[in-house]
């Protein structure tokens, strides 16, 4: 094939992803020097279209970045007023009082927000400072310089032929070169994955761990709405089948975020995370809240859970990983947005110093030091044993020992457990179907619970059908020849958007990939037991169109 010719544009810093991490980096760079040339590229059709968090926001990141965010009209309108934690049984619940919880778990001072709207607001702040933001521009390739450094990205390739080749209607996109490239792609970023592998950034670290988070926005009866209330639950329906739990956040306008996270290290390939979420809404406490209301949006996204011991090295020549591209979620708090913001700020400060010293294309080691030794490191280190305890010893033991460990870390700055490892990655954790029994899930009733495809229509996801499938199978036979007999092909169940099906054709099973349904959660890239699925970015603008997730 003839070499593809592309226009190239030169910047000081090229930022991939307009999430809280990428936008914070852009804002901080321009605050430090308004002459710096900074570009942010976002695959969503607009900023916020692909953003999905809970979200209870700890404002410490925003405080550090834009101390006068209140005066500037940031959409943090719902302070947390009430914090509840329940252990669920099938027909009842027990409230765990707040006093045994370590102080770091307290949500007072935090805000219930739409992170999509927070990102939209941050993008406005960035643009006012002179940042160029291009939504609808997916970054599909990295460009390397002569010395092996990351020198830029290819963005904005549109109209590929169905087989992935270039045709007469293909726009080849452009090259964006930077003195430094920041990857703020969020969890399991496709370019971040390449960089981590190429430079061995995860060598010597524990494997990254993940959960899949599903979320619905409900408009509920105003009489039942309690603005500012935060509720978390554990226990039923997952019980010992998997780690995870729910969140129910009452924001403004009689809306409630109802979400459910399933840790992806579950063993039973018959487990169906989406149906666990649907079943959860029939718990009497939850059903009572939602009855008479309506679901107005649905979405899903993986969440990083490996924490401190899984965080890769953050820098390689010319490139830095920000936020959840490196996994900066504090798991027991289910919060990563504050660390995403702080990491963007720290990376920007390191790049500013480097550029001022006329450096480029090298490692921003000052950023690495800031993250590990500063506020982010402190936040993650304190809770580093909660996830491995849960994986090893189950919910009850981890609640007690994890609670004790957080207390001693929080108060005394030490752990009696050292740093526990995670063991296997989530794909390897899946056991063969022969060791497990299928799980019988109740049929959705169409009022509180919904079938997957109906719900996906509330993610407003769109992928041009003429485009190549962005979900690449390493070996096209593996789903049927290996995964089906060994694991009953769990892709049929772990995908919260119903992308993968096994159908019968001419009396034989066939694997179907409905890539049009994809909501960009990346669960398939993580959980496929054969590690045969690679999520790549489709053309810009494709994917979900979340309203105020
Ligand atoms: C269900 C759930 C609930 C959560 N609840 C909370 C909570 O209550 N509080 C909290 O603080 N945190 C919460 N989190 C965690 C939080 O969402 C993350 O920590 C945070 O989103 C990380 O920010 P980020 O900027 O690194 O990545 P993201 O927010 O994921 O942003 C990445 C952006 O980059 C874009 N992008 C990715 N790849 C490319 C590419 N190749 N080209 C162009 N654009 C690209 C994406 O479209 C996206 O807009 C939750 C997460 C989940 C899944």
């Amino acid at each position: 094939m003839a070499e593809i010719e592309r226009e190239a544009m030169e910047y000081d810093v090229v930022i991939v992803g307009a999430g809280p991490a990428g936008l914070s980096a852009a804002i901080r760079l321009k605050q430090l020097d308004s002459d710096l040339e900074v570009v942010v590229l976002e695959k969503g059709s607009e900023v916020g279209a692909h953003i999905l968090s809970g979200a209870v926001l700890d404002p410490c990141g925003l405080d550090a970045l834009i101390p006068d965010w209140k005066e500037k009209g940031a959409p943090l309108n719902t302070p947390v007023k009430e914090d509840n934690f329940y252990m669920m049984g099938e027909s009842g619940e027990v409230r765990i009082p707040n006093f045994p919880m370590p102080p770091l778990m307290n949500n007072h001072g935090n805000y219930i927000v739409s992170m999509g709207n927070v990102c939209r607001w941050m993008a406005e702040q960035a643009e006012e400072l002179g940042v160029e933001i291009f939504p609808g521009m997916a970054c599909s390739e990295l460009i390397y310089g002569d010395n092996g450094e990351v020198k830029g990205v290819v963005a904005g390739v549109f109209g590929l032929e169905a087989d992935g080749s270039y045709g007469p209607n293909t726009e080849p996109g452009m090259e964006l070169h930077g003195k430094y490239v920041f990857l703020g792609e969020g969890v399991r970023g496709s370019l971040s994955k390449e960089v981590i592998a190429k430079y061995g950034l995860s060598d010597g670290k524990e494997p990254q761990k993940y959960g899949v988070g599903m979320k619905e926005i409900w408009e509920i009866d105003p009489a039942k709405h309690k603005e500012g209330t935060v509720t978390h639950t554990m226990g039923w329906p997952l019980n010992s089948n998997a780690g995870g739990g729910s969140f129910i956040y009452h924001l403004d306008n009689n809306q409630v975020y109802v979400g459910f996270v399933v840790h992806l290290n579950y063993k039973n390939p018959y487990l169906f995370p989406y149906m666990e979420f649907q079943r959860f809404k029939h718990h009497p406490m939850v059903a009572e809240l939602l009855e008479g209301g309506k679901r107005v949006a649905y979405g899903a996204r993986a969440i990083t859970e490996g924490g401190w011991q899984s965080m890769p090295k953050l820098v390689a020549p010319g490139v830095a990983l920000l936020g959840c591209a490196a996994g900066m979620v504090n798991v027991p708090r289910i919060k990563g947005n504050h660390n995403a913001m702080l990491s963007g700020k720290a990376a920007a400060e390191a790049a500013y110093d480097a550029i001022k010293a006329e450096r480029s294309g090298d490692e921003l080691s000052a950023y690495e030091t800031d993250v590990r030794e500063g506020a982010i490191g402190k936040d993650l280190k304190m809770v580093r044993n909660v996830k491995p305890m849960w994986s090893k010893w189950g919910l009850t033991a981890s609640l007690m020992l994890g609670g004790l460990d957080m207390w001693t870390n929080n108060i005394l700055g030490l752990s009696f457990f050292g740093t526990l490892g995670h063991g296997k990655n989530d794909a390897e954790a899946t056991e063969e179907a022969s060791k497990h029994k299928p799980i019988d899930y109740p049929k959705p009733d169409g009022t509180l619970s919904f079938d997957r495809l109906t719900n996906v229509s509330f993610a407003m996801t769109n992928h041009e059908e003429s485009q190549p499938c962005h979900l690449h199978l390493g070996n096209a036979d593996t789903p049927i020849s290996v995964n089906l007999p060994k694991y009953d092909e769990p892709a049929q169940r772990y995908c919260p958007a119903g992308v993968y099906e096994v159908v019968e054709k001419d009396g034989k099973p066939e694997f179907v990939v409905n890539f049009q349904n994809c909501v960009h959660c990346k669960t398939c890239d993580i959980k496929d037991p054969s590690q045969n699925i690679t999520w790549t970015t489709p053309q810009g603008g494709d994917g979900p169109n979340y309203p105020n997730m």
Side-chain angles (χ1 to χ4, degrees), residues 122-153:
M122 289 177 78
E124 282 167 23
Q125 307 308 304
E127 280 178 330
E128 272 175 27
L129 291 167
V131 175
E132 289 178 41
I133 302 183
F134 297 130
M137 290 282 272
C139 301
S140 46
E141 278 175 54
L142 290 163
I143 302 165
Y144 295 97
D146 295 340
N147 300 316
E149 80 282 14
V150 173
K151 148 178 142 176
V153 295

Side-chain angles (χ1 to χ4, degrees), residues 73-140:
L76 276 65
N77 304 320
T78 312
V80 175
K81 292 185 195 140
E82 199 184 315
D83 215 356
N84 304 310
F85 187 82
Y86 291 97
M87 187 57 77
M88 308 292 256
E90 185 163 357
S91 54
E93 69 282 341
V94 176
R95 172 141 192 232
I96 312 235
N98 291 355
F99 70 83
M101 301 274 182
L104 63 94
M105 295 295 284
N106 189 344
N107 271 313
H108 289 274
N110 297 334
Y111 293 81
I112 301 173
V113 298
S114 151
M115 273 315 290
N117 287 345
V118 171
C119 288
R120 289 177 184 106
W121 176 84
M122 289 177 78
E124 282 167 23
Q125 307 308 304
E127 280 178 330
E128 272 175 27
L129 291 167
V131 175
E132 289 178 41
I133 302 183
F134 297 130
M137 290 282 272
C139 301
S140 46

Side-chain angles (χ1 to χ4, degrees), residues 16-22 41-44 48 50-58 115 119 137-140 184-187 189-191 212-215 247 249 260-261 301-303 322-325 328-329 333-338 340 520 522 535 537:
V16 180
L41 302 149
E42 167 55 48
K43 67 179 163 62
H50 290 184
I51 295 294
L52 187 140
S53 278
V56 172
L57 179 68
D58 176 341
M115 273 315 290
C119 288
M137 290 282 272
C139 301
S140 46
E185 294 179 292
V187 52
S190 40
L191 302 182
V212 54
M214 296 147 286
K215 177 177 167 188
F247 57 89
Y249 302 153
F260 201 81
V261 176
R301 183 88 168 95
I303 179 168
L322 314 185
C324 277
M328 296 188 187
V329 170
R333 297 180 75 203
I334 335 177
K335 287 185 186 60
N337 287 307
H338 61 299
H520 298 197
K522 321 256 174 101
W535 190 98
T537 185

Side-chain angles (χ1 to χ4, degrees), residues 190-205:
S190 40
L191 302 182
S192 312
K193 201 173 146 186
E194 180 178 324
V195 160
I196 291 170
K198 180 176 166 71
Y199 298 104
L201 302 184
S202 279
D203 292 355
K205 313 283 180 191

Side-chain angles (χ1 to χ4, degrees), residues 268-478:
N268 182 350
Y270 292 113
L271 191 105
F272 198 153
Y274 174 83
M275 292 304 285
E276 296 287 345
F277 175 32
Q278 297 308 305
R279 172 147 85 160
F280 162 75
K281 289 180 288 170
H282 288 273
H283 186 278
M285 183 181 97
V286 187
E288 202 277 321
L289 176 75
L290 300 180
E291 262 155 13
K294 67 170 187 203
R295 169 269 280 112
V296 293
Y298 167 76
R301 183 88 168 95
I303 179 168
T304 56
E305 294 184 341
W308 173 253
Q309 51 275 59
S310 302
M311 201 162 54
K313 185 178 170 202
L314 304 172
V315 292
V319 66
L321 301 171
L322 314 185
C324 277
M328 296 188 187
V329 170
N330 178 317
V331 174
R333 297 180 75 203
I334 335 177
K335 287 185 186 60
N337 287 307
H338 61 299
N339 285 338
M341 291 180 188
L342 292 172
S343 78
K345 178 175 175 284
E349 287 165 1
Y352 164 74
D353 286 343
I355 292 168
K356 220 171 56 173
E358 299 191 350
R359 286 165 41 202
S360 68
D362 59 357
E363 290 193 4
L364 292 172
S365 48
Y367 165 56
E368 179 97 28
T369 308
D370 190 325
V371 169
R372 294 196 188 269
E373 294 178 10
I376 301 174
K378 193 166 167 241
D379 187 57
L380 296 180
K381 216 169 169 184
M382 231 172 348
V383 301
R384 66 192 181 279
N385 288 327
V386 174
K387 167 79 182 179
M389 282 176 173
W390 197 338
S391 310
K392 280 184 215 302
W393 302 320
L395 174 58
T396 315
S398 77
L399 267 180
M400 287 188 296
L401 295 176
L404 170 74
D405 199 50
M406 284 193 283
W407 267 109
T408 59
N409 271 296
N410 207 170
I411 305 295
L412 307 172
L414 62 87
S415 166
F416 297 118
F417 299 91
T419 298
L420 298 174
H422 291 300
K424 294 176 183 163
N425 71 33
D426 293 333
E428 291 162 354
T430 318
E431 291 181 347
E432 293 192 16
S434 57
K435 291 190 173 166
H436 296 273
K437 289 201 179 82
I439 302 174
D440 189 19
Y441 289 98
K443 211 170 163 301
D445 69 354
T447 309
L448 287 178
S449 48
F450 311 99
D451 69 75
R452 209 167 22 168
L453 290 185
T454 306
N455 235 355
V456 170
S457 69
F458 283 76
M460 285 146 297
T461 195
N462 172 54
H463 293 83
E464 258 187 46
E465 300 214 3
S466 60
Q467 281 299 287
C469 175
H470 64 281
L471 303 157
H472 296 176
L473 297 179
N475 180 335
D477 297 331
T478 298

Side-chain angles (χ1 to χ4, degrees), residues 2-77:
E3 189 135 323
I4 297 152
E5 286 198 10
R6 297 188 176 99
E7 210 182 304
M9 288 176 77
E10 304 294 328
Y11 288 90
D12 289 303
V13 182
V14 173
I15 302 174
V16 180
L23 290 168
S24 299
I27 290 170
R28 188 66 187 140
L29 282 160
K30 288 299 244 184
Q31 286 172 340
L32 290 166
D33 182 350
S34 59
D35 289 335
L36 288 176
E37 300 286 346
V38 182
V39 66
V40 179
L41 302 149
E42 167 55 48
K43 67 179 163 62
S45 59
E46 52 146 355
V47 172
H50 290 184
I51 295 294
L52 187 140
S53 278
V56 172
L57 179 68
D58 176 341
C60 66
L62 209 50
D63 288 341
L65 186 72
I66 308 177
D68 57 346
W69 54 262
K70 228 174 227 166
E71 293 73 40
K72 289 196 158 124
L76 276 65
N77 304 320

